[in-house]
Each structure stands twice: as structure tokens, then as C-alpha cells.
Coordinates of all heavy atoms in Angstrom, one line a residue:
M1 N -66.0 94.4 105.9 CA -67.4 94.0 105.7 C -67.7 92.9 106.7 O -66.8 92.0 106.9 CB -67.7 93.7 104.3 CG -69.1 93.2 104.1 SD -69.7 93.5 102.4 CE -70.3 95.2 102.6
T2 N -68.9 92.8 107.2 CA -69.3 91.7 108.1 C -70.5 91.0 107.4 O -71.4 91.7 107.0 CB -69.7 92.3 109.4 OG1 -68.6 93.0 110.0 CG2 -70.1 91.2 110.4
Y3 N -70.5 89.7 107.4 CA -71.6 88.9 106.9 C -72.1 88.1 108.1 O -71.4 87.7 109.0 CB -71.1 87.9 105.9 CG -70.6 88.6 104.6 CD1 -69.3 88.9 104.4 CD2 -71.5 89.0 103.6 CE1 -68.9 89.6 103.3 CE2 -71.1 89.6 102.5 CZ -69.8 89.9 102.3 OH -69.4 90.6 101.2
Y4 N -73.4 87.8 108.1 CA -74.1 87.1 109.1 C -74.7 85.8 108.5 O -75.4 85.9 107.5 CB -75.2 88.0 109.8 CG -74.6 89.2 110.5 CD1 -74.4 90.4 109.8 CD2 -74.2 89.1 111.8 CE1 -73.9 91.5 110.4 CE2 -73.6 90.3 112.4 CZ -73.5 91.4 111.7 OH -72.9 92.5 112.3
Y5 N -74.5 84.7 109.2 CA -75.1 83.4 108.8 C -75.5 82.7 110.0 O -74.9 82.7 111.1 CB -74.1 82.6 108.0 CG -74.0 83.0 106.5 CD1 -73.0 83.9 106.1 CD2 -74.9 82.6 105.6 CE1 -72.9 84.3 104.8 CE2 -74.8 83.0 104.3 CZ -73.8 83.9 103.9 OH -73.8 84.3 102.6
P6 N -76.6 81.9 109.9 CA -77.1 81.1 111.0 C -76.2 79.9 111.2 O -75.6 79.4 110.3 CB -78.5 80.7 110.6 CG -78.4 80.7 109.1 CD -77.5 81.8 108.7
A7 N -76.1 79.5 112.5 CA -75.4 78.3 112.8 C -76.2 77.5 113.8 O -77.0 78.0 114.6 CB -74.0 78.7 113.5
V8 N -76.0 76.2 113.8 CA -76.6 75.2 114.7 C -75.6 74.7 115.6 O -74.5 74.2 115.2 CB -77.3 74.1 113.9 CG1 -77.9 73.1 114.9 CG2 -78.4 74.6 113.1
I9 N -75.8 74.8 116.9 CA -74.9 74.4 118.0 C -75.4 73.1 118.5 O -76.6 72.9 118.9 CB -74.9 75.4 119.1 CG1 -74.4 76.8 118.6 CG2 -74.0 74.9 120.3 CD1 -74.6 77.9 119.6
T10 N -74.5 72.1 118.5 CA -74.8 70.8 119.0 C -73.8 70.3 120.0 O -72.6 70.4 119.8 CB -74.8 69.7 117.9 OG1 -75.7 70.2 116.8 CG2 -75.3 68.4 118.3
K11 N -74.3 69.9 121.2 CA -73.4 69.4 122.2 C -73.1 67.9 121.9 O -74.1 67.1 121.7 CB -73.9 69.5 123.6 CG -73.0 69.1 124.7 CD -73.5 69.5 126.1 CE -72.4 69.1 127.1 NZ -72.7 69.6 128.4
K12 N -71.9 67.5 121.7 CA -71.5 66.2 121.3 C -71.6 65.2 122.5 O -71.4 65.6 123.6 CB -70.1 66.1 120.7 CG -70.0 67.0 119.5 CD -68.6 67.3 118.9 CE -67.6 66.3 119.1 NZ -66.3 66.7 118.5
E13 N -72.0 64.0 122.2 CA -72.2 63.0 123.3 C -71.0 62.7 124.1 O -71.0 62.5 125.3 CB -72.7 61.7 122.7 CG -74.2 61.8 122.2 CD -74.7 60.4 121.7 OE1 -74.1 59.4 122.0 OE2 -75.6 60.4 120.9
K14 N -69.8 62.7 123.4 CA -68.6 62.4 124.1 C -67.8 63.7 124.6 O -66.7 63.6 124.9 CB -67.6 61.6 123.1 CG -68.2 60.3 122.8 CD -67.2 59.5 121.9 CE -67.8 58.1 121.6 NZ -66.9 57.3 120.8
G15 N -68.6 64.8 124.7 CA -68.0 66.0 125.2 C -67.7 66.9 124.1 O -67.4 66.5 122.9
G16 N -67.7 68.2 124.4 CA -67.4 69.2 123.4 C -68.6 69.6 122.6 O -69.7 69.2 122.8
Y17 N -68.4 70.5 121.6 CA -69.4 71.1 120.8 C -69.1 71.1 119.4 O -67.9 71.1 119.0 CB -69.7 72.6 121.3 CG -70.3 72.7 122.6 CD1 -69.6 72.7 123.8 CD2 -71.7 72.8 122.8 CE1 -70.1 72.8 125.0 CE2 -72.3 72.9 124.0 CZ -71.5 72.9 125.1 OH -72.1 73.0 126.4
R18 N -70.1 71.2 118.5 CA -69.9 71.3 117.1 C -70.9 72.5 116.7 O -72.0 72.5 117.1 CB -70.3 70.1 116.3 CG -70.1 70.2 114.8 CD -70.4 68.9 114.1 NE -70.6 69.1 112.7 CZ -69.8 68.6 111.8 NH1 -68.8 67.8 112.2 NH2 -70.0 68.8 110.5
V19 N -70.4 73.4 115.9 CA -71.2 74.5 115.4 C -71.2 74.4 113.8 O -70.1 74.6 113.2 CB -70.6 75.8 115.9 CG1 -71.4 77.0 115.3 CG2 -70.6 75.9 117.4
D20 N -72.3 74.2 113.3 CA -72.5 74.0 111.8 C -73.0 75.3 111.2 O -74.1 75.8 111.7 CB -73.4 72.9 111.4 CG -72.7 71.5 111.7 OD1 -71.9 71.1 110.9 OD2 -73.0 70.9 112.8
V21 N -72.3 75.9 110.3 CA -72.8 77.1 109.6 C -73.6 76.6 108.4 O -73.1 76.2 107.4 CB -71.7 78.0 109.1 CG1 -72.2 79.3 108.5 CG2 -70.7 78.3 110.3
I22 N -74.9 76.5 108.6 CA -75.8 75.7 107.7 C -75.9 76.1 106.3 O -76.1 75.3 105.4 CB -77.2 75.5 108.3 CG1 -77.9 76.8 108.4 CG2 -77.1 74.8 109.6 CD1 -79.3 76.7 108.8
D23 N -75.6 77.4 106.0 CA -75.7 77.9 104.6 C -74.4 77.8 103.9 O -74.4 78.1 102.6 CB -76.2 79.4 104.6 CG -77.7 79.5 105.1 OD1 -78.5 78.6 104.8 OD2 -78.0 80.4 105.8
L24 N -73.3 77.5 104.6 CA -72.0 77.4 103.9 C -71.6 75.9 103.9 O -71.3 75.4 105.0 CB -71.0 78.3 104.7 CG -71.4 79.7 104.9 CD1 -70.2 80.4 105.6 CD2 -71.8 80.4 103.7
E25 N -71.6 75.3 102.7 CA -71.4 73.9 102.6 C -70.2 73.4 103.3 O -69.1 74.0 103.1 CB -71.4 73.5 101.1 CG -71.3 72.1 100.9 CD -71.3 71.7 99.4 OE1 -71.8 72.6 98.6 OE2 -70.9 70.6 99.0
S26 N -70.3 72.4 104.1 CA -69.2 71.8 104.9 C -68.4 72.7 105.8 O -67.2 72.6 106.0 CB -68.2 71.1 103.9 OG -68.9 70.1 103.2
C27 N -69.1 73.7 106.3 CA -68.5 74.7 107.1 C -68.9 74.5 108.6 O -70.1 74.7 108.9 CB -68.8 76.1 106.6 SG -68.0 77.4 107.6
Y28 N -68.0 74.2 109.4 CA -68.3 74.0 110.8 C -67.1 74.2 111.7 O -65.9 74.3 111.2 CB -68.8 72.6 111.0 CG -67.8 71.5 110.8 CD1 -67.0 71.0 111.8 CD2 -67.6 71.0 109.5 CE1 -66.1 70.0 111.5 CE2 -66.7 70.0 109.2 CZ -65.9 69.5 110.2 OH -65.0 68.6 110.0
G29 N -67.3 74.3 113.0 CA -66.2 74.3 114.0 C -66.5 73.4 115.1 O -67.7 73.2 115.4
E30 N -65.5 72.9 115.7 CA -65.6 72.0 116.9 C -64.7 72.5 118.0 O -63.7 73.2 117.7 CB -65.3 70.6 116.5 CG -66.3 69.9 115.6 CD -65.9 68.5 115.3 OE1 -64.8 68.1 115.0 OE2 -66.9 67.7 115.3
G31 N -65.0 72.2 119.2 CA -64.2 72.6 120.3 C -64.5 71.9 121.6 O -65.7 71.4 121.7
A32 N -63.6 71.9 122.5 CA -63.8 71.3 123.8 C -64.9 72.0 124.6 O -65.6 71.4 125.4 CB -62.5 71.3 124.6
D33 N -65.0 73.3 124.4 CA -66.1 74.1 125.0 C -66.8 74.9 123.9 O -66.3 75.0 122.8 CB -65.6 74.9 126.1 CG -64.5 75.9 125.8 OD1 -64.6 76.5 124.6 OD2 -63.6 76.2 126.6
L34 N -67.9 75.5 124.3 CA -68.7 76.3 123.3 C -67.9 77.4 122.7 O -68.0 77.7 121.5 CB -70.0 76.7 123.9 CG -71.0 77.5 123.0 CD1 -71.3 76.7 121.7 CD2 -72.2 77.8 123.8
E35 N -67.2 78.1 123.5 CA -66.4 79.3 123.0 C -65.4 78.9 121.9 O -65.3 79.6 120.9 CB -65.7 79.9 124.2 CG -64.9 81.2 123.8 CD -64.3 81.9 125.0 OE1 -64.9 81.9 126.1 OE2 -63.2 82.4 124.9
D36 N -64.7 77.8 122.2 CA -63.8 77.3 121.1 C -64.5 76.9 119.9 O -64.0 77.1 118.8 CB -62.9 76.1 121.7 CG -61.9 76.5 122.7 OD1 -61.5 77.7 122.7 OD2 -61.4 75.6 123.4
A37 N -65.6 76.2 120.0 CA -66.3 75.7 118.8 C -66.9 76.9 118.0 O -66.8 76.9 116.8 CB -67.5 74.8 119.2
L38 N -67.4 78.0 118.7 CA -67.8 79.2 118.0 C -66.7 79.9 117.3 O -66.8 80.3 116.2 CB -68.5 80.1 119.0 CG -69.9 79.7 119.5 CD1 -70.3 80.5 120.7 CD2 -70.9 79.7 118.3
E39 N -65.5 80.0 118.0 CA -64.4 80.6 117.4 C -63.9 79.9 116.1 O -63.6 80.5 115.1 CB -63.2 80.7 118.4 CG -62.0 81.4 117.9 CD -60.9 81.5 118.9 OE1 -61.2 81.6 120.1 OE2 -59.7 81.5 118.5
N40 N -63.9 78.5 116.2 CA -63.4 77.7 115.1 C -64.4 77.8 113.9 O -64.0 77.8 112.8 CB -63.2 76.3 115.5 CG -62.0 76.1 116.4 OD1 -61.1 76.9 116.4 ND2 -62.0 75.1 117.3
A41 N -65.7 77.9 114.2 CA -66.7 78.1 113.2 C -66.6 79.4 112.5 O -66.7 79.5 111.3 CB -68.1 77.9 113.8
R42 N -66.3 80.5 113.3 CA -66.1 81.8 112.7 C -64.9 81.8 111.8 O -64.9 82.4 110.7 CB -66.0 82.9 113.8 CG -67.3 83.2 114.4 CD -67.1 84.4 115.4 NE -68.2 84.6 116.2 CZ -68.3 84.1 117.5 NH1 -67.2 83.6 118.1 NH2 -69.4 84.3 118.2
Y43 N -63.8 81.2 112.2 CA -62.6 81.1 111.4 C -62.9 80.3 110.1 O -62.5 80.8 109.0 CB -61.5 80.4 112.2 CG -60.2 80.3 111.5 CD1 -59.3 81.4 111.4 CD2 -59.8 79.1 110.9 CE1 -58.1 81.3 110.7 CE2 -58.6 79.0 110.3 CZ -57.8 80.1 110.2 OH -56.6 80.0 109.5
A44 N -63.6 79.2 110.2 CA -63.9 78.4 109.1 C -64.8 79.2 108.1 O -64.6 79.1 106.9 CB -64.6 77.1 109.5
G45 N -65.8 79.9 108.7 CA -66.7 80.7 107.8 C -66.0 81.8 107.1 O -66.2 82.1 105.9
V46 N -65.0 82.5 107.7 CA -64.3 83.6 107.0 C -63.5 83.0 105.9 O -63.5 83.5 104.8 CB -63.4 84.4 108.0 CG1 -62.4 85.2 107.3 CG2 -64.2 85.2 109.0
N47 N -62.8 81.9 106.2 CA -62.0 81.2 105.1 C -62.9 80.7 104.0 O -62.6 80.8 102.8 CB -61.2 80.0 105.7 CG -60.0 80.6 106.5 OD1 -59.4 81.5 106.1 ND2 -59.7 79.9 107.6
W48 N -64.1 80.2 104.3 CA -65.1 79.8 103.3 C -65.5 80.9 102.4 O -65.5 80.8 101.2 CB -66.3 79.2 104.0 CG -67.2 78.4 103.1 CD1 -67.2 77.0 103.0 CD2 -68.2 78.9 102.2 NE1 -68.2 76.6 102.1 CE2 -68.8 77.8 101.6 CE3 -68.6 80.1 101.8 CZ2 -69.8 77.9 100.6 CZ3 -69.6 80.2 100.9 CH2 -70.2 79.1 100.3
L49 N -65.8 82.0 103.0 CA -66.3 83.2 102.3 C -65.1 83.8 101.4 O -65.3 84.3 100.3 CB -66.8 84.3 103.2 CG -68.1 83.9 103.9 CD1 -68.5 84.9 105.1 CD2 -69.3 83.8 102.9
L50 N -63.9 83.8 102.0 CA -62.8 84.3 101.2 C -62.5 83.4 100.0 O -62.3 84.0 98.9 CB -61.5 84.3 102.1 CG -61.4 85.5 103.1 CD1 -60.2 85.3 104.0 CD2 -61.4 86.8 102.4
A51 N -62.6 82.1 100.1 CA -62.4 81.2 99.0 C -63.5 81.4 97.9 O -63.2 81.5 96.7 CB -62.4 79.8 99.5
E52 N -64.7 81.6 98.4 CA -65.8 81.8 97.5 C -65.7 83.1 96.7 O -66.1 83.3 95.6 CB -67.2 81.7 98.2 CG -67.6 80.3 98.5 CD -67.8 79.5 97.2 OE1 -68.6 79.9 96.3 OE2 -67.2 78.4 97.1
S53 N -65.2 84.2 97.4 CA -65.1 85.5 96.8 C -64.1 85.5 95.7 O -64.2 86.3 94.8 CB -64.8 86.5 97.9 OG -63.5 86.4 98.3
E54 N -63.2 84.6 95.7 CA -62.2 84.5 94.6 C -62.9 83.8 93.4 O -62.5 84.1 92.2 CB -61.0 83.6 95.0 CG -60.2 84.3 96.1 CD -59.0 83.4 96.6 OE1 -58.9 82.3 96.1 OE2 -58.3 83.8 97.5
D55 N -63.9 83.0 93.6 CA -64.5 82.3 92.5 C -65.7 83.0 91.9 O -66.1 83.0 90.8 CB -65.0 80.9 92.9 CG -63.8 80.0 93.2 OD1 -62.7 80.2 92.7 OD2 -63.9 79.0 94.0
Q56 N -66.5 83.7 92.8 CA -67.7 84.3 92.4 C -68.0 85.4 93.4 O -67.5 85.5 94.5 CB -68.9 83.3 92.4 CG -69.2 82.7 93.8 CD -70.2 81.6 93.7 OE1 -70.4 81.1 92.7 NE2 -70.9 81.4 94.8
A57 N -68.9 86.3 93.0 CA -69.2 87.5 93.9 C -70.4 87.3 94.8 O -70.6 88.0 95.7 CB -69.4 88.7 93.0
D58 N -71.2 86.3 94.4 CA -72.5 86.1 95.2 C -72.3 85.0 96.3 O -71.8 83.9 96.0 CB -73.6 85.6 94.3 CG -74.0 86.7 93.3 OD1 -73.8 87.9 93.6 OD2 -74.4 86.3 92.2
F59 N -72.7 85.3 97.5 CA -72.7 84.4 98.6 C -74.0 83.8 98.8 O -75.0 84.4 98.3 CB -72.2 85.1 99.9 CG -70.8 85.5 99.9 CD1 -70.4 86.7 100.6 CD2 -69.8 84.8 99.2 CE1 -69.1 87.1 100.6 CE2 -68.5 85.3 99.3 CZ -68.1 86.4 99.9
P60 N -74.2 82.6 99.4 CA -75.5 82.0 99.6 C -76.4 83.0 100.4 O -75.9 83.7 101.3 CB -75.2 80.8 100.4 CG -73.7 80.5 100.2 CD -73.1 81.8 100.0
M61 N -77.7 82.9 100.2 CA -78.7 83.6 101.0 C -78.7 83.0 102.4 O -78.4 81.8 102.6 CB -80.1 83.4 100.4 CG -80.2 84.0 99.0 SD -80.6 85.7 99.0 CE -82.1 85.8 99.9
Q62 N -79.0 83.9 103.4 CA -79.0 83.4 104.7 C -80.4 82.9 105.1 O -81.4 83.5 104.8 CB -78.8 84.6 105.7 CG -77.4 85.2 105.6 CD -77.4 86.4 104.6 OE1 -78.3 86.6 103.9 NE2 -76.3 87.1 104.7
T63 N -80.4 81.7 105.7 CA -81.6 81.1 106.2 C -82.1 81.8 107.4 O -81.3 82.2 108.2 CB -81.4 79.6 106.6 OG1 -80.9 78.9 105.4 CG2 -82.6 78.9 107.1
H64 N -83.4 82.1 107.5 CA -83.9 82.8 108.7 C -83.9 81.8 109.9 O -84.3 80.6 109.7 CB -85.3 83.3 108.4 CG -85.8 84.2 109.4 ND1 -86.4 83.8 110.6 CD2 -85.8 85.6 109.4 CE1 -86.7 84.9 111.3 NE2 -86.4 86.0 110.6
L65 N -83.6 82.3 111.0 CA -83.6 81.4 112.2 C -84.9 80.7 112.5 O -84.9 79.5 112.9 CB -83.2 82.2 113.5 CG -81.7 82.6 113.6 CD1 -81.6 83.5 114.9 CD2 -80.8 81.5 113.7
D66 N -86.0 81.3 112.2 CA -87.3 80.7 112.4 C -87.5 79.5 111.4 O -88.4 78.7 111.7 CB -88.4 81.7 112.2 CG -88.5 82.7 113.3 OD1 -87.9 82.4 114.4 OD2 -89.0 83.8 113.1
D67 N -86.8 79.4 110.4 CA -87.0 78.3 109.4 C -86.1 77.1 109.7 O -86.1 76.1 108.9 CB -86.7 78.8 108.0 CG -87.7 79.9 107.5 OD1 -88.8 79.8 108.0 OD2 -87.3 80.8 106.7
I68 N -85.3 77.2 110.7 CA -84.3 76.1 111.0 C -85.1 75.1 111.9 O -85.6 75.4 112.9 CB -83.1 76.6 111.7 CG1 -82.3 77.6 110.8 CG2 -82.2 75.5 112.1 CD1 -81.2 78.3 111.4
R69 N -85.0 73.8 111.5 CA -85.6 72.7 112.3 C -84.5 72.1 113.1 O -83.5 71.6 112.6 CB -86.2 71.7 111.4 CG -87.4 72.2 110.6 CD -88.1 71.1 109.9 NE -89.2 71.7 109.1 CZ -90.5 71.6 109.4 NH1 -90.9 71.0 110.5 NH2 -91.3 72.2 108.6
L70 N -84.6 72.3 114.4 CA -83.6 71.8 115.4 C -84.0 70.5 116.0 O -85.2 70.2 116.2 CB -83.5 72.8 116.5 CG -83.0 74.2 116.1 CD1 -83.0 75.2 117.3 CD2 -81.6 74.2 115.5
K71 N -83.0 69.7 116.2 CA -83.2 68.4 116.9 C -83.2 68.7 118.4 O -82.7 69.8 118.8 CB -82.1 67.4 116.6 CG -82.1 67.0 115.1 CD -81.0 66.1 114.8 CE -81.0 65.8 113.3 NZ -79.8 65.1 112.9
P72 N -83.7 67.8 119.3 CA -83.6 68.1 120.7 C -82.2 68.3 121.2 O -81.3 67.7 120.8 CB -84.2 66.8 121.3 CG -85.1 66.2 120.2 CD -84.4 66.6 119.0
G73 N -82.0 69.4 122.0 CA -80.7 69.7 122.5 C -79.9 70.7 121.7 O -78.9 71.1 122.1
Q74 N -80.4 71.0 120.5 CA -79.7 71.9 119.6 C -80.2 73.3 119.8 O -81.3 73.5 120.2 CB -79.9 71.5 118.1 CG -79.1 70.3 117.7 CD -79.3 70.0 116.2 OE1 -80.4 70.3 115.6 NE2 -78.3 69.5 115.6
K75 N -79.3 74.3 119.5 CA -79.7 75.7 119.5 C -79.2 76.3 118.2 O -78.3 75.9 117.6 CB -79.0 76.4 120.6 CG -79.3 76.0 122.0 CD -78.6 76.9 123.0 CE -78.1 76.0 124.2 NZ -77.3 76.8 125.1
A76 N -79.9 77.4 117.8 CA -79.5 78.1 116.6 C -79.1 79.5 117.0 O -79.7 80.1 117.9 CB -80.7 78.2 115.6
T77 N -78.2 80.1 116.3 CA -77.7 81.4 116.6 C -77.2 82.0 115.3 O -77.0 81.3 114.3 CB -76.6 81.5 117.6 OG1 -76.3 82.8 118.0 CG2 -75.3 80.8 117.1
M78 N -77.1 83.3 115.2 CA -76.5 84.0 114.1 C -75.0 84.3 114.4 O -74.7 84.7 115.5 CB -77.2 85.3 113.8 CG -78.6 85.2 113.3 SD -78.7 84.3 111.7 CE -78.2 85.5 110.5
L79 N -74.1 84.0 113.5 CA -72.7 84.2 113.6 C -72.3 85.4 112.7 O -72.8 85.5 111.6 CB -71.9 83.0 113.3 CG -71.9 81.8 114.2 CD1 -70.9 80.7 113.7 CD2 -71.5 82.2 115.6
A80 N -71.5 86.2 113.2 CA -70.9 87.3 112.4 C -69.5 87.0 111.9 O -68.7 86.4 112.7 CB -70.8 88.6 113.3
F81 N -69.3 87.2 110.6 CA -68.0 86.9 110.0 C -67.4 88.2 109.6 O -67.9 88.8 108.6 CB -68.2 85.9 108.8 CG -68.8 84.6 109.3 CD1 -70.2 84.4 109.1 CD2 -68.0 83.6 109.8 CE1 -70.7 83.2 109.5 CE2 -68.6 82.4 110.2 CZ -69.9 82.2 110.1
L82 N -66.4 88.7 110.3 CA -65.7 89.9 110.0 C -64.7 89.6 108.9 O -63.7 88.9 109.2 CB -65.1 90.5 111.2 CG -64.3 91.8 111.1 CD1 -65.3 92.9 110.5 CD2 -63.7 92.2 112.4
M83 N -64.9 90.1 107.7 CA -63.9 89.9 106.7 C -62.7 90.8 106.8 O -62.9 92.0 107.1 CB -64.6 90.1 105.3 CG -65.8 89.2 105.1 SD -65.5 87.4 105.3 CE -64.6 87.1 103.8
P84 N -61.5 90.2 106.6 CA -60.3 91.1 106.6 C -60.3 92.1 105.5 O -60.7 91.8 104.4 CB -59.2 90.1 106.6 CG -59.8 88.9 105.9 CD -61.2 88.8 106.3
R85 N -59.7 93.2 105.7 CA -59.5 94.2 104.7 C -58.4 93.7 103.8 O -57.5 92.9 104.2 CB -59.1 95.5 105.3 CG -60.2 96.1 106.1 CD -59.8 97.5 106.6 NE -60.8 97.9 107.6 CZ -60.5 98.7 108.6 NH1 -59.3 99.2 108.8 NH2 -61.5 99.1 109.4
E86 N -58.4 94.1 102.6 CA -57.3 93.7 101.6 C -56.0 94.2 102.1 O -55.8 95.3 102.6 CB -57.6 94.4 100.3 CG -56.8 93.9 99.1 CD -57.2 94.4 97.8 OE1 -58.4 94.6 97.6 OE2 -56.3 94.7 97.0
G87 N -55.1 93.2 102.1 CA -53.7 93.5 102.6 C -53.5 93.4 104.1 O -52.5 93.6 104.6
W88 N -54.6 93.1 104.8 CA -54.6 93.0 106.3 C -54.0 91.6 106.7 O -54.6 90.6 106.3 CB -56.0 93.1 106.8 CG -56.1 93.1 108.3 CD1 -55.2 93.3 109.2 CD2 -57.3 92.8 109.0 NE1 -55.7 93.2 110.5 CE2 -57.0 92.8 110.4 CE3 -58.6 92.5 108.7 CZ2 -58.0 92.6 111.4 CZ3 -59.5 92.2 109.6 CH2 -59.2 92.3 111.0
E89 N -53.0 91.6 107.4 CA -52.4 90.3 107.8 C -53.0 89.8 109.1 O -53.4 90.6 110.0 CB -50.9 90.5 108.1 CG -50.1 90.9 106.9 CD -50.0 89.8 105.8 OE1 -49.9 88.6 106.2 OE2 -50.1 90.2 104.6
E90 N -53.2 88.5 109.2 CA -53.8 87.9 110.5 C -52.8 88.1 111.6 O -51.7 88.0 111.5 CB -54.2 86.5 110.2 CG -55.4 86.3 109.5 CD -55.9 84.9 109.5 OE1 -56.0 84.3 110.6 OE2 -56.2 84.4 108.4

């Protein structure tokens, strides 16, 4: 199953990027370049969703991209989180 959540991309002042998955509390990824930050955010999101699925069946509602207020220099995007199948080893 694949879940989609919005993320805010911020270029850090000292270099690198941070990608915050705004609907998943404390879920983000950082990296020296945008590709690494996105990959780390996807990994964090999958782990967040897996942990939540053990506790409850309902995931947070997705914020619509048009409802996100961005600061100057930020971008919003939707990230896809491909959940592993049961018994599937990484």
C-alpha cells in the first residue's frame, strides 16, 4: 500500500536541505542535497507509519497542498510512502 503526505522543503542556511512531513509529528529528513533529504524523509515517514499502525489503524488526514503556508524559499510537495509487505525484508 502507498500513502501520500505533503512535505515542506527548506534549504538550510549552512547548506543542505530539510524535508518536513507536516502531518506526521516530528517526521523529517535532512541531507547534503535535496535527493538525500527526500530519501531520508521517505524512510522516516515509512517508519512513522509502521509504528503508528501497531498502535492504531487510523493515520492522520493529509493536508491539501493549497492549505500550506510557506515561508520565503520553501517549497511544498507530496511524498509517496510505499509500505513494505508483511514479511518483506529491507
Side-chain angles (χ1 to χ4, degrees):
M1 176 153 275
T2 303
Y3 295 94
Y4 297 88
Y5 280 96
V8 174
I9 301 167
T10 306
K11 187 169 184 175
K12 296 168 30 175
E13 288 182 22
K14 295 183 180 181
Y17 290 85
R18 179 178 169 118
V19 177
D20 289 279
V21 185
I22 61 172
D23 293 324
L24 308 182
E25 186 177 339
S26 301
C27 183
Y28 66 92
E30 294 183 314
D33 58 35
L34 182 55
E35 185 176 320
D36 286 341
L38 289 167
E39 181 178 331
N40 291 334
R42 283 188 195 100
Y43 181 79
V46 167
N47 286 321
W48 195 100
L49 293 168
L50 285 172
E52 282 298 306
S53 69
E54 292 175 3
D55 295 336
Q56 62 187 22
D58 296 330
F59 293 145
M61 296 277 298
Q62 297 93 345
T63 300
H64 193 277
L65 285 177
D66 291 339
D67 295 331
I68 299 172
R69 295 187 186 255
L70 299 172
K71 296 176 184 173
Q74 289 183 324
K75 294 185 223 175
T77 190
M78 293 298 285
L79 289 183
F81 300 98
L82 178 63
M83 303 303 288
R85 295 181 188 153
E86 192 171 321
W88 180 23
E89 297 293 323
E90 282 191 47

